[in-house]
Amino acid sequence: MSESLVDGGIYIIRNLNSGLVLDVANGLNKDGANIQQWDQNGYNAQYFKVVALGDGYYNLYSVCTNNTKVIDLPYAQTANGTNIQLWSKNGHDAQAFLIKENELGGYTIFAKLNTSMCLGVANASSSIGANVALYTYSGNASQRWSFELVG
C-alpha cells in the first residue's frame, strides 16, 4: 500500500503472514480486552479508527467501543511478548504507535515507548485467535500489516 493513512479513517488491519485481521476478543467494550487475530467477519470488533498524533504517530481506536478505547501497552511495558490490549484513551505514550510503510510490504506498527518494538502475532501463527503482542522488530511477515480503508 503506497498511499498514506487517512486521519480519522476506519480500517481493517490485516496481518500479511496469516491473512487474518486484528480483532477485539469477543468484541468486549472494557479496559483490558485482548487483541487477537481472527477471520474477517464484518463485526465492529475488527474496525479501527486511525487518528494522527503528528510525526507519524497514531492512536488506534476500536470502533466496537464507540471510539472510546484504544490499543494500549499494559502498564507501559515494552518487553518482548508484552500483550496488546484495549484501554480507555488517556493520552499516555503507551497508546501511541508509529506506523511506517515497510520496504518488504505493508506497514509496521512500532510502539512510541520503544521504536525497536512492534506489533506482531505470537509465534508467527496463522491460527484464528492467535494473540497479538509486542516483539523486537525482525521484518517477519507476522509483524507487517495492511491497512484497508473501509470508511
Side-chain angles (χ1 to χ4, degrees), residues 23-24 27 41-48 61-66:
D23 178 269
V24 178
N41 58 27
Y43 289 120
N44 281 344
Q46 299 179 343
Y47 296 118
F48 293 88
Y61 287 83
S62 172
V63 171
C64 75
T65 68
N66 296 314

Side-chain angles (χ1 to χ4, degrees), residues 4 10 28 50 59-60 73-74 76 83 89 100 102-103 136 151:
S4 61
I10 307 295
L28 294 177
V50 176
N59 285 136
L60 299 170
L73 302 175
N83 192 53
K89 172 79 171 92
K100 291 180 65 173
N102 191 297
E103 66 277 358
T136 302

Side-chain angles (χ1 to χ4, degrees), residues 18-76:
S18 67
L20 301 173
V21 300
L22 273 188
D23 178 269
V24 178
N26 300 311
L28 294 177
N29 181 358
K30 71 173 198 168
D31 287 340
N34 192 51
I35 303 296
Q36 63 187 2
Q37 69 176 3
W38 203 263
D39 268 335
Q40 185 177 345
N41 58 27
Y43 289 120
N44 281 344
Q46 299 179 343
Y47 296 118
F48 293 88
K49 182 178 181 180
V50 176
V51 176
L53 301 171
D55 297 325
Y57 290 96
Y58 295 86
N59 285 136
L60 299 170
Y61 287 83
S62 172
V63 171
C64 75
T65 68
N66 296 314
N67 301 316
T68 61
K69 299 185 188 322
V70 295
I71 292 180
D72 175 90
L73 302 175
Y75 307 105

Side-chain angles (χ1 to χ4, degrees), residues 117-130:
M117 307 296 287
C118 66
L119 272 61
V121 178
N123 302 312
S125 176
S126 57
S127 298
I128 291 172

